[in-house]
Amino acid sequence: MTQKDIRPDLGLRPIVNVSGTMTSLGASIVVPEAVAAVSAILPQFVEIGDLQKKASRVIARLCGTEAGFVTASCSAGITLAVAGAMTGCDLAAVERLPDTTGLKNEVLLMTGHMVSYGAPVEQGIRLAGAKVVPVGQATSAYGYQLNGAINERTAAAVYVISHHTVQYGLIPLKEFVEICHARGVPVIVDAASEYDLKGFLATGADIALYSSHKFLGGLTAGIVAGNTELVRATYMQNMGIGRGMKVGKEGILGTIAALDAWEKRDHAGIRERETRYLELWEQTLSGRPGVTPIREADPTNNPLDRLKVAIEPKGAHITAWDLADALASGRTPIIVRDHEVEHGYFYLDPCNLHPGQEAIVAERLVEELENARQSNEIIATPLETRRNRSYQAIMRWPD
Ligand SMILES: *Cc1c(COP(=O)(O)O)cnc(C)c1O
């Protein structure tokens, strides 16, 4: 870190993030190009429509499509794109939302895609006034079910690309698009965390949505990309329900700068650096009783691996979740990726580290594993207790 760490002055814990690009942890390390662009524009007035036109050209270039704009978040993008599919460029209808009287208002979503990224995907759809029509069952969906769900009220279909969704048994995007397009239904792809800026649109999606603040290292914002007609109708929602999802000049320019930087980034070099981190952690952990480190590819094929740390409590004298909690406490809290921890493992994600933090992660792993080994009993908090604790913490806010 070149700059002073201001977190202690703010009374905030100096966490090290091996969890991923999480909104709850401050998303990502904003790239220097975005930081510079944002501080240069903040004191100036700009014509936002013109700045969004510039964003459109940059988004179109990077996403291999016609147009785009920046909104508050990918989540906002879901709501706005659904709204755009319902209203088209009818400004009176834009102002009437979320009242959808007289409009097509049904939106198809596979049941296996009804996930939460911190808020429910389907709520983002309903927020526009649309009605969600589930397609298929939790772990299966077929073309005939999608086709059978389309009717004269169908406004759009939403498709989610994410590790959160069910990863098998569902309709592949290509087939999904073919069925929807054969019936004149536009397809909106939520690709918030996906590095592939072109592939989903190239497969036929009408709109692809990305987060600016995840892998791109932009400001907190969302990117809407796609064909001009639907992007324009989506952009118009800024005069309606999109107002509460407003992005300022800093978010728009921060996104443009992050996209420009992404185009020039040394992706291979970054991958190499991340691989070195994984190797260090693997060496640190292998041979320790009850600990099995396994390198694993990203579930949605983003070009990144994580280290899966499987914990066998009898050998390690601690459960995976108690180890995660121990790492997250103390003077240097390490926040691991623990969304599947009830299976007895967590992940270390190498994407969000400042140089040198990989060594801190290794030291803290050793420290907490050795502490646990010295315990005569196996440290094993019941899972329900841990779940209740996080629920109670939410309910206690701001205390
Ligand atoms: C993060 C995420 C979102 C939300 O993105 P924001 O830009 O933070 O609103 C939506 N969908 C998926 C699949 C995500 O991973």
Side-chain angles (χ1 to χ4, degrees):
M1 263 177 279
T2 48
Q3 262 180 330
K4 176 178 183 283
D5 186 350
I6 70 161
R7 293 174 297 180
D9 296 345
L10 296 168
L12 298 171
R13 302 199 307 155
I15 56 171
V16 173
N17 178 11
V18 278
S19 177
T21 45
M22 307 296 184
T23 288
S24 59
L25 299 178
S28 59
I29 299 167
V30 174
V31 294
E33 293 89 340
V35 174
V38 167
S39 55
I41 203 71
L42 277 171
Q44 307 293 348
F45 292 104
V46 294
E47 290 162 281
I48 292 289
D50 287 345
L51 189 56
Q52 288 278 29
K53 283 182 195 169
K54 184 175 166 59
S56 181
R57 290 190 290 273
V58 175
I59 292 167
R61 186 177 80 240
L62 269 101
C63 297
T65 187
E66 294 173 6
F69 71 95
V70 182
T71 181
S73 62
C74 179
S75 183
I78 296 172
T79 305
L80 300 183
V82 163
M86 293 193 295
T87 64
C89 289
D90 176 351
L91 281 177
V94 168
E95 289 185 9
R96 269 199 312 274
L97 289 185
D99 179 346
T100 61
T101 308
L103 302 175
K104 294 179 178 183
N105 70 343
E106 293 187 3
V107 174
L108 310 178
L109 177 66
M110 285 192 283
T111 308
H113 284 185
M114 287 198 181
V115 295
S116 171
Y117 47 77
V121 168
E122 54 90 25
Q123 185 183 38
I125 297 169
R126 286 189 289 113
L127 207 48
K131 182 176 161 231
V132 176
V133 176
V135 173
Q137 286 74 42
T139 56
S140 67
Y142 294 94
Y144 75 87
Q145 292 172 319
L146 177 60
N147 198 37
I150 298 173
N151 62 42
E152 66 285 356
R153 295 179 302 280
T154 309
V158 170
Y159 194 101
V160 183
I161 316 267
S162 168
H163 69 89
H164 291 295
T165 67
V166 171
Q167 297 295 314
Y168 57 91
L170 304 186
I171 307 169
L173 180 61
K174 187 165 180 290
E175 184 187 347
F176 192 92
V177 166
E178 280 165 7
I179 292 168
C180 287
H181 284 182
R183 306 281 300 276
V185 174
V187 175
I188 298 159
V189 172
D190 170 2
S193 278
E194 303 307 302
Y195 289 36
D196 183 355
L197 292 173
K198 290 195 168 125
F200 313 115
L201 290 162
T203 304
D206 298 271
I207 283 206
L209 305 166
Y210 297 90
S211 293
S212 175
H213 47 275
K214 292 184 177 174
F215 58 98
L216 289 169
L219 283 244
T220 296
I223 296 167
V224 177
N227 70 62
T228 304
E229 197 184 336
L230 192 51
V231 169
R232 184 182 290 133
T234 302
Y235 182 67
M236 283 187 185
Q237 308 304 319
N238 286 319
M239 297 161 77
I241 58 171
R243 180 64 184 208
M245 307 171 191
K246 178 168 74 174
V247 66
K249 58 194 173 188
E250 66 283 359
I252 304 168
L253 190 62
T255 298
I256 292 173
L259 283 167
D260 278 336
W262 180 256
E263 217 174 12
K264 299 182 194 111
R265 197 183 285 200
D266 174 13
H267 293 274
I270 289 174
R271 186 91 198 256
E272 256 171 53
R273 189 180 74 201
E274 290 172 0
T275 304
R276 282 200 306 276
Y277 296 171
L278 296 178
E279 283 166 359
L280 168 68
W281 300 332
E282 208 169 5
Q283 282 160 17
T284 303
L285 294 173
S286 50
R288 290 185 179 272
V291 184
T292 312
I294 309 150
R295 246 187 274 180
E296 227 176 71
D298 179 74
T300 60
N301 299 321
N302 284 317
L304 89 104
D305 297 333
R306 299 186 180 87
L307 194 69
K308 181 177 184 173
V309 182
I311 301 293
E312 205 282 300
K314 277 205 194 75
H317 291 192
I318 192 165
T319 65
W321 52 92
D322 283 296
L323 180 57
D325 289 346
L327 288 164
S329 61
R331 264 193 305 149
T332 313
I334 309 291
I335 313 295
V336 303
R337 191 175 182 86
D338 69 347
H339 56 284
E340 296 173 56
V341 80
E342 61 261 54
H343 292 307
Y345 55 78
F346 57 73
Y347 291 90
L348 303 175
D349 182 307
C351 296
N352 296 286
L353 295 176
H354 292 287
Q357 288 185 325
E358 73 284 3
I360 299 174
V361 172
E363 283 162 26
R364 292 279 291 119
L365 284 164
V366 170
E367 184 183 8
E368 294 302 340
L369 281 167
E370 289 186 349
N371 277 346
R373 279 288 294 173
Q374 277 158 21
S375 162
N376 291 328
E377 285 163 37
I378 297 174
I379 302 164
T381 308
L383 266 173
E384 310 80 74
T385 309
R386 186 177 193 257
R387 284 172 67 95
N388 288 341
R389 212 162 45 209
S390 52
Y391 172 75
Q392 281 153 9
I394 295 165
M395 299 313 285
R396 265 198 316 273
W397 188 93
D399 296 323

